[in-house]
Amino acid sequence: MKPVAFEHATAATLDEARTLLAAGAKPLAGGQSLGPMLNLRLVRPERVVDIKRLPGLRGFTESATHLTLGAATTHAEIEDGRVPDVTNGLMRHVAQGIAYRAVRNRGTLGGSLAHADPAADWPSVMAALGATLLTSDGRRIPADGFLRAPFTTALDAGEIVTAVEIPRLPPGARWGYCKINRKIGEFAKAIGIATPGRLLAGAVEGPPTLLDRVEDIPARLPWLDPAAQRLAAIAVTRAQAMRDA
Ligand SMILES: Cc1cc2nc3c(=O)[nH]c(=O)nc-3n(C[C@H](O)[C@H](O)[C@H](O)COP(=O)(O)OP(=O)(O)OC[C@H]3O[C@@H](n4cnc5c(N)ncnc54)[C@H](O)[C@@H]3O)c2cc1C
Protein backbone atom coordinates (compact mmCIF):
# COMPACT_ATOMS: atom_id res chain seq x y z
CA MET A 1 0.00 0.00 0.00
CA LYS A 2 1.17 3.57 -0.59
CA PRO A 3 0.78 6.47 1.85
CA VAL A 4 -1.87 9.11 1.43
CA ALA A 5 -0.18 12.14 -0.21
CA PHE A 6 1.64 14.36 2.29
CA GLU A 7 4.00 17.30 2.19
CA HIS A 8 7.62 16.78 3.29
CA ALA A 9 9.32 19.66 5.12
CA THR A 10 12.82 19.92 6.55
CA ALA A 11 13.40 22.21 9.52
CA ALA A 12 16.76 23.96 9.81
CA THR A 13 16.28 25.03 13.42
CA LEU A 14 14.36 23.76 16.42
CA ASP A 15 12.21 26.91 16.38
CA GLU A 16 11.29 26.27 12.76
CA ALA A 17 10.42 22.66 13.62
CA ARG A 18 8.31 23.77 16.58
CA THR A 19 6.29 26.11 14.36
CA LEU A 20 5.60 23.29 11.88
CA LEU A 21 4.81 20.81 14.66
CA ALA A 22 2.45 23.28 16.35
CA ALA A 23 0.59 23.47 13.04
CA GLY A 24 0.09 19.68 13.11
CA ALA A 25 3.10 18.32 11.19
CA LYS A 26 4.29 14.82 12.17
CA PRO A 27 7.98 14.51 13.17
CA LEU A 28 10.11 12.14 11.06
CA ALA A 29 13.40 10.83 12.47
CA GLY A 30 14.78 7.55 11.08
CA GLY A 31 11.48 6.63 9.45
CA GLN A 32 11.84 2.97 10.48
CA SER A 33 8.48 2.94 12.25
CA LEU A 34 6.82 5.99 10.69
CA GLY A 35 7.53 4.73 7.16
CA PRO A 36 5.57 1.49 7.61
CA MET A 37 2.79 3.36 9.48
CA LEU A 38 2.45 5.79 6.56
CA ASN A 39 2.47 2.96 4.02
CA LEU A 40 -0.23 1.08 5.94
CA ARG A 41 -2.17 4.34 6.29
CA LEU A 42 -2.24 3.94 10.07
CA VAL A 43 -1.30 7.63 10.15
CA ARG A 44 -2.32 10.19 7.53
CA PRO A 45 -0.52 13.45 8.29
CA GLU A 46 -0.85 16.31 5.83
CA ARG A 47 2.76 17.26 6.50
CA VAL A 48 5.83 15.45 7.80
CA VAL A 49 8.79 17.42 9.18
CA ASP A 50 12.25 15.89 9.07
CA ILE A 51 13.93 16.49 12.43
CA LYS A 52 16.89 14.11 12.30
CA ARG A 53 19.48 16.70 11.23
CA LEU A 54 18.39 19.40 13.65
CA PRO A 55 21.55 20.59 15.45
CA GLY A 56 19.86 20.30 18.87
CA LEU A 57 19.08 16.63 18.27
CA ARG A 58 22.57 15.55 17.21
CA GLY A 59 25.75 14.93 19.17
CA PHE A 60 26.33 14.55 22.90
CA THR A 61 27.66 16.28 25.98
CA GLU A 62 29.25 14.62 28.99
CA SER A 63 29.43 15.57 32.63
CA ALA A 64 30.84 13.79 35.67
CA THR A 65 27.45 12.23 36.31
CA HIS A 66 25.65 12.04 32.97
CA LEU A 67 25.84 11.59 29.22
CA THR A 68 23.32 13.71 27.31
CA LEU A 69 22.70 12.08 23.96
CA GLY A 70 20.89 13.81 21.09
CA ALA A 71 17.55 12.20 20.28
CA ALA A 72 18.58 11.69 16.64
CA THR A 73 21.51 9.45 17.62
CA THR A 74 21.10 6.22 15.66
CA HIS A 75 21.20 2.71 17.06
CA ALA A 76 24.27 2.10 14.83
CA GLU A 77 26.15 5.07 16.33
CA ILE A 78 25.62 3.55 19.78
CA GLU A 79 26.52 0.06 18.55
CA ASP A 80 29.74 1.30 16.92
CA GLY A 81 30.85 3.32 19.94
CA ARG A 82 30.68 6.58 17.97
CA VAL A 83 29.11 8.08 21.09
CA PRO A 84 30.41 7.36 24.60
CA ASP A 85 28.83 4.51 26.53
CA VAL A 86 28.50 5.48 30.19
CA THR A 87 26.71 2.23 30.99
CA ASN A 88 29.66 -0.14 31.01
CA GLY A 89 28.64 -1.68 27.70
CA LEU A 90 24.90 -2.10 28.30
CA MET A 91 23.85 0.38 25.61
CA ARG A 92 26.19 -1.08 22.98
CA HIS A 93 24.94 -4.56 23.81
CA VAL A 94 21.31 -3.47 23.45
CA ALA A 95 21.90 -1.51 20.23
CA GLN A 96 23.50 -4.42 18.40
CA GLY A 97 20.44 -6.58 19.17
CA ILE A 98 17.93 -4.19 17.57
CA ALA A 99 16.58 -5.35 14.20
CA TYR A 100 19.29 -5.60 11.52
CA ARG A 101 22.00 -3.19 10.42
CA ALA A 102 19.95 -1.33 7.78
CA VAL A 103 17.33 -0.46 10.43
CA ARG A 104 20.02 0.42 12.97
CA ASN A 105 21.70 2.79 10.49
CA ARG A 106 18.57 4.94 10.36
CA GLY A 107 16.50 4.25 13.48
CA THR A 108 17.07 6.70 16.31
CA LEU A 109 17.02 6.61 20.10
CA GLY A 110 14.45 9.43 20.30
CA GLY A 111 12.27 7.90 17.59
CA SER A 112 12.20 4.59 19.40
CA LEU A 113 11.24 6.23 22.72
CA ALA A 114 8.59 8.47 21.13
CA HIS A 115 7.10 5.62 19.11
CA ALA A 116 6.54 3.88 22.48
CA ASP A 117 6.21 0.32 21.28
CA PRO A 118 6.25 -1.67 24.54
CA ALA A 119 8.20 -4.43 22.74
CA ALA A 120 11.04 -2.05 21.80
CA ASP A 121 14.34 -2.12 23.68
CA TRP A 122 15.11 1.52 24.53
CA PRO A 123 11.95 2.36 26.54
CA SER A 124 12.78 -0.44 28.98
CA VAL A 125 16.53 0.21 29.02
CA MET A 126 16.17 3.95 29.64
CA ALA A 127 13.67 3.29 32.45
CA ALA A 128 16.06 0.77 34.03
CA LEU A 129 18.93 3.27 33.81
CA GLY A 130 16.89 6.05 35.42
CA ALA A 131 17.34 8.26 32.32
CA THR A 132 15.54 11.57 31.76
CA LEU A 133 14.08 12.75 28.45
CA LEU A 134 14.56 16.41 27.48
CA THR A 135 11.93 17.95 25.23
CA SER A 136 11.43 20.85 22.83
CA ASP A 137 9.12 22.46 25.43
CA GLY A 138 11.96 22.53 27.96
CA ARG A 139 10.48 19.70 30.01
CA ARG A 140 12.44 16.95 31.74
CA ILE A 141 10.48 13.70 31.77
CA PRO A 142 11.75 10.61 33.64
CA ALA A 143 12.04 7.64 31.27
CA ASP A 144 10.32 5.57 33.94
CA GLY A 145 6.80 6.89 33.34
CA PHE A 146 7.36 8.36 29.86
CA LEU A 147 5.52 5.47 28.24
CA ARG A 148 1.96 5.77 29.50
CA ALA A 149 0.38 2.97 27.47
CA PRO A 150 1.26 1.15 24.25
CA PHE A 151 2.15 3.81 21.63
CA THR A 152 1.21 6.60 24.06
CA THR A 153 3.75 8.83 25.80
CA ALA A 154 3.86 11.77 28.20
CA LEU A 155 4.65 14.14 25.28
CA ASP A 156 2.17 16.91 24.53
CA ALA A 157 0.94 17.53 20.99
CA GLY A 158 3.72 19.10 18.92
CA GLU A 159 6.39 18.39 21.55
CA ILE A 160 9.45 16.34 20.58
CA VAL A 161 12.21 14.57 22.45
CA THR A 162 15.43 16.50 21.86
CA ALA A 163 17.88 14.53 24.02
CA VAL A 164 18.19 11.83 26.65
CA GLU A 165 20.17 12.33 29.84
CA ILE A 166 21.68 9.02 30.89
CA PRO A 167 23.26 8.62 34.35
CA ARG A 168 26.71 7.02 34.43
CA LEU A 169 26.81 3.58 35.95
CA PRO A 170 29.49 3.45 38.66
CA PRO A 171 32.85 2.15 37.36
CA GLY A 172 32.82 -1.61 37.47
CA ALA A 173 29.06 -1.81 38.03
CA ARG A 174 27.59 -4.75 36.18
CA TRP A 175 24.29 -5.28 34.48
CA GLY A 176 22.22 -8.11 33.07
CA TYR A 177 20.00 -8.00 29.98
CA CYS A 178 17.68 -10.78 28.83
CA LYS A 179 15.67 -10.32 25.65
CA ILE A 180 13.40 -13.12 24.56
CA ASN A 181 12.45 -13.01 20.91
CA ARG A 182 11.58 -15.44 18.15
CA LYS A 183 14.72 -14.67 16.13
CA ILE A 184 17.78 -12.52 16.79
CA GLY A 185 17.03 -8.93 15.78
CA GLU A 186 13.28 -9.13 16.21
CA PHE A 187 11.18 -7.16 18.68
CA ALA A 188 11.15 -8.64 22.18
CA LYS A 189 8.48 -10.91 23.55
CA ALA A 190 9.87 -10.18 27.02
CA ILE A 191 12.76 -8.15 28.45
CA GLY A 192 14.48 -8.45 31.83
CA ILE A 193 17.07 -5.87 32.92
CA ALA A 194 19.15 -5.68 36.06
CA THR A 195 21.16 -2.54 36.74
CA PRO A 196 22.54 -1.43 40.11
CA GLY A 197 19.51 -0.80 42.28
CA ARG A 198 16.92 -1.53 39.59
CA LEU A 199 15.26 -4.63 38.27
CA LEU A 200 12.82 -4.15 35.44
CA ALA A 201 10.42 -6.23 33.37
CA GLY A 202 9.87 -4.91 29.86
CA ALA A 203 7.96 -5.73 26.70
CA VAL A 204 4.94 -6.39 28.89
CA GLU A 205 1.51 -5.25 27.68
CA GLY A 206 1.97 -1.71 28.96
CA PRO A 207 4.85 0.41 30.31
CA PRO A 208 8.06 -1.20 31.55
CA THR A 209 7.59 -2.24 35.17
CA LEU A 210 10.10 -1.82 37.98
CA LEU A 211 10.13 -4.95 40.14
CA ASP A 212 10.55 -4.00 43.75
CA ARG A 213 9.84 -7.41 45.21
CA VAL A 214 11.72 -10.32 43.80
CA GLU A 215 11.97 -12.98 46.42
CA ASP A 216 15.07 -14.72 45.11
CA ILE A 217 17.36 -11.70 45.15
CA PRO A 218 20.04 -11.65 47.81
CA ALA A 219 20.06 -8.42 49.77
CA ARG A 220 23.66 -7.50 48.98
CA LEU A 221 24.45 -8.63 45.53
CA PRO A 222 27.96 -8.42 44.17
CA TRP A 223 27.50 -6.96 40.71
CA LEU A 224 29.28 -9.71 38.93
CA ASP A 225 28.13 -10.63 35.47
CA PRO A 226 26.60 -14.03 36.20
CA ALA A 227 24.70 -12.66 39.19
CA ALA A 228 23.36 -9.71 37.23
CA GLN A 229 22.40 -11.99 34.38
CA ARG A 230 20.59 -14.29 36.83
CA LEU A 231 18.58 -11.31 38.05
CA ALA A 232 17.72 -10.30 34.50
CA ALA A 233 16.56 -13.87 33.91
CA ILE A 234 14.27 -13.61 36.95
CA ALA A 235 12.91 -10.32 35.60
CA VAL A 236 12.30 -11.75 32.14
CA THR A 237 10.36 -14.64 33.66
CA ARG A 238 8.23 -12.09 35.51
CA ALA A 239 7.75 -10.15 32.26
CA GLN A 240 6.54 -13.29 30.51
CA ALA A 241 4.16 -14.08 33.37
CA MET A 242 2.72 -10.52 33.25
CA ARG A 243 2.23 -10.81 29.53
CA ASP A 244 0.52 -14.18 29.77
CA ALA A 245 -1.68 -13.20 32.74
C1 LIG B 1 12.22 -4.78 10.70
C2 LIG B 1 12.30 -3.94 11.95
C3 LIG B 1 12.72 -4.55 13.12
C4 LIG B 1 12.80 -3.79 14.29
N1 LIG B 1 13.25 -4.41 15.43
C5 LIG B 1 13.37 -3.69 16.57
C6 LIG B 1 13.86 -4.28 17.77
O1 LIG B 1 14.22 -5.46 17.84
N2 LIG B 1 13.92 -3.48 18.88
C7 LIG B 1 13.56 -2.17 18.85
O2 LIG B 1 13.66 -1.51 19.87
N3 LIG B 1 13.11 -1.58 17.73
C8 LIG B 1 13.01 -2.30 16.60
N4 LIG B 1 12.56 -1.69 15.45
C9 LIG B 1 12.14 -0.27 15.51
C10 LIG B 1 13.34 0.65 15.21
O3 LIG B 1 14.18 0.64 16.34
C11 LIG B 1 12.92 2.11 14.92
O4 LIG B 1 14.08 2.79 14.62
C12 LIG B 1 12.28 2.89 16.03
O5 LIG B 1 11.18 2.24 16.56
C13 LIG B 1 11.78 4.26 15.53
O6 LIG B 1 12.84 5.11 15.38
P1 LIG B 1 12.93 6.10 14.12
O7 LIG B 1 14.02 7.04 14.38
O8 LIG B 1 12.99 5.31 12.86
O9 LIG B 1 11.53 6.90 14.23
P2 LIG B 1 10.46 7.26 13.12
O10 LIG B 1 10.01 6.04 12.42
O11 LIG B 1 10.94 8.38 12.28
O12 LIG B 1 9.30 7.82 14.06
C14 LIG B 1 8.57 6.95 14.90
C15 LIG B 1 7.49 7.75 15.64
O13 LIG B 1 8.08 8.63 16.59
C16 LIG B 1 7.85 10.00 16.25
N5 LIG B 1 9.15 10.64 16.51
C17 LIG B 1 10.35 10.35 15.94
N6 LIG B 1 11.32 11.04 16.54
C18 LIG B 1 10.74 11.79 17.51
C19 LIG B 1 11.24 12.68 18.49
N7 LIG B 1 12.55 12.96 18.63
N8 LIG B 1 10.35 13.26 19.34
C20 LIG B 1 9.02 12.99 19.24
N9 LIG B 1 8.49 12.15 18.33
C21 LIG B 1 9.35 11.55 17.48
C22 LIG B 1 7.38 10.00 14.81
O14 LIG B 1 6.51 11.08 14.54
C23 LIG B 1 6.66 8.66 14.74
O15 LIG B 1 5.37 8.78 15.29
C24 LIG B 1 12.46 -2.42 14.28
C25 LIG B 1 12.04 -1.81 13.09
C26 LIG B 1 11.97 -2.54 11.94
C27 LIG B 1 11.54 -1.87 10.66
Side-chain angles (χ1 to χ4, degrees), residues 128-209:
L129 288 169
T132 303
L133 279 64
L134 313 186
T135 81
S136 52
D137 288 359
R139 289 203 296 156
R140 298 171 54 83
I141 308 177
D144 175 22
F146 177 72
L147 198 152
R148 293 272 163 87
F151 307 102
T152 307
T153 69
L155 289 174
D156 289 333
E159 184 178 24
I160 58 170
V161 181
T162 53
V164 185
E165 196 179 86
I166 302 158
R168 285 180 187 277
L169 284 187
R174 304 305 173 107
W175 46 266
Y177 191 71
C178 275
K179 175 178 178 178
I180 293 184
N181 47 8
R182 210 168 52 89
K183 283 197 303 193
I184 288 174
E186 279 194 355
F187 277 102
K189 290 194 175 300
I191 291 174
I193 311 175
T195 58
R198 278 175 192 242
L199 188 65
L200 182 138
V204 290
E205 283 302 315
T209 305

Side-chain angles (χ1 to χ4, degrees), residues 21 25-37 43 48-52 57 70-75 94-95 97-100 102-123 133-136 146 151 153 155-156 158-163 177 179 181 183-188 191:
L21 293 165
K26 183 102 179 128
L28 167 73
Q32 298 307 295
S33 298
L34 186 55
M37 288 196 301
V43 289
V48 160
V49 56
D50 197 331
I51 57 169
K52 68 177 170 294
L57 272 70
T73 303
T74 63
H75 312 316
V94 170
I98 294 176
Y100 45 88
V103 173
R104 299 200 290 272
N105 279 337
R106 290 181 179 275
T108 65
L109 174 62
S112 172
L113 293 167
H115 186 54
D117 185 335
D121 294 72
W122 293 128
L133 279 64
L134 313 186
T135 81
S136 52
F146 177 72
F151 307 102
T153 69
L155 289 174
D156 289 333
E159 184 178 24
I160 58 170
V161 181
T162 53
Y177 191 71
K179 175 178 178 178
N181 47 8
K183 283 197 303 193
I184 288 174
E186 279 194 355
F187 277 102
I191 291 174

Side-chain angles (χ1 to χ4, degrees), residues 1-7 34-46 48:
M1 205 188 280
K2 291 285 169 217
V4 174
F6 61 86
E7 195 184 312
L34 186 55
M37 288 196 301
L38 288 166
N39 285 340
L40 293 168
R41 301 191 175 187
L42 295 174
V43 289
R44 299 167 179 232
E46 287 179 9
V48 160

